[in-house]
Amino acid sequence: MTTLPVTRPDAILFDLDGTLIDSFQWLLNLHNRVRIRMGEAAWDAETFIYYMHSSSRVLYPRLFGDRAPQALTILNEELARQDYDGMAVALGCNELLRGLQQAGMPMGLVSNKTHAGLVNDVAHYGWGDIFLSVVGAGRATRDKPAADPALMALAEMQIDPPVARNIWYIGDTITDVQMAENAGLFMIVIGHRVDAPADGLQYDSLPDLHNALRHTLWWTD
């Protein structure tokens, strides 16, 4: 498939980190502060890339064993600082989100960032009126790549389960692709960290997706 579906989607779910915001350095700094406080060596960028796709409640038991509760407590303490140094909104993000809002599109946010951190981000970037549901790691029974957080978001948006529905998920990693597949969502990949599935789409950037949307019949600007 090389063009967007003609049919207007019933709803769109978004990933956050790497999709709507450029947060790689911020996330690396965050986890390294935890590692240093836990007496562990800091990661370099390559090592972080290897681990970054799992949620902390899945990853930290693997990394810290029976010390995982302590590490997660430290992570939450670091998140509570609400330090946004090294994080920035992705190019074209706000324009895309506001355009979809103007078109009356129901939108939700589904991320493997801790739920508290995700809620902070939504407030920080002024998106509280955009997303009808915000589901971070720990809210659903399982995190991405399981379907649970997407299904929770859709339920909170009063959208029926996505079987035979036209629901899009927009993200940038293999975890996003797997969740979309598990939940029956149409996948749109932003960037080139992972290939889009055969029945999905891929765009270099959010402005490229925004431009494609402007050529659909249901777009309003």
Side-chain angles (χ1 to χ4, degrees):
M1 180 179 293
T2 58
T3 58
L4 282 169
V6 173
T7 305
R8 174 191 170 100
D10 297 308
I12 298 178
L13 303 179
F14 285 90
D15 172 50
L16 181 73
D17 295 299
T19 302
L20 298 181
I21 61 174
D22 179 2
S23 56
F24 180 87
Q25 190 60 51
W26 181 87
L27 286 166
L28 176 57
N29 294 343
L30 170 69
H31 287 290
N32 275 341
R33 290 198 299 269
V34 176
R35 292 184 62 78
I36 289 168
R37 289 179 61 181
M38 290 293 293
E40 302 290 338
W43 281 330
D44 58 21
E46 184 177 356
T47 303
F48 178 53
I49 290 171
Y50 176 78
Y51 287 113
M52 67 183 290
H53 305 307
S54 298
S55 69
S56 297
R57 77 165 168 174
V58 172
L59 178 60
Y60 273 32
R62 289 171 49 198
L63 295 175
F64 297 107
D66 58 7
R67 297 190 299 155
Q70 179 187 356
L72 287 168
T73 296
I74 293 173
L75 176 65
N76 287 327
E77 291 173 358
E78 293 292 339
L79 283 169
R81 293 170 53 187
Q82 298 189 35
D83 173 15
Y84 284 86
D85 184 33
M87 187 186 295
V89 174
L91 179 67
C93 171
N94 284 319
E95 294 82 356
L96 173 63
L97 292 179
R98 293 301 175 186
L100 287 167
Q101 184 183 46
Q102 181 178 332
M105 180 58 58
M107 289 179 280
L109 191 62
V110 176
S111 170
N112 267 350
K113 178 173 280 185
T114 65
H115 183 69
L118 194 62
V119 170
N120 288 340
D121 291 347
V122 169
H124 177 75
Y125 291 114
W127 295 337
D129 64 327
I130 289 179
F131 296 113
L132 301 179
S133 175
V134 175
V135 179
R139 276 207 69 205
T141 303
R142 297 174 295 173
D143 300 325
K144 295 190 301 185
D148 304 43
L151 298 180
M152 174 180 281
L154 292 171
E156 291 180 349
M157 296 165 66
Q158 299 184 342
I159 303 290
D160 292 336
V163 176
R165 297 297 298 272
N166 183 15
I167 314 270
W168 297 0
Y169 187 63
I170 300 175
D172 70 311
T173 69
I174 186 61
T175 306
D176 297 326
V177 172
Q178 291 169 341
M179 187 194 72
E181 180 179 6
N182 290 333
L185 311 180
F186 177 77
M187 183 70 208
I188 298 177
V189 174
I190 302 299
H192 295 278
R193 292 180 182 174
V194 63
D195 291 333
D199 58 350
L201 288 174
Q202 190 153 21
Y203 290 93
D204 291 340
S205 66
L206 294 178
D208 291 322
L209 171 59
H210 195 175
N211 185 58
L213 284 166
R214 287 190 175 104
H215 290 85
T216 61
L217 295 176
W218 55 269
W219 193 258
T220 57
D221 68 11

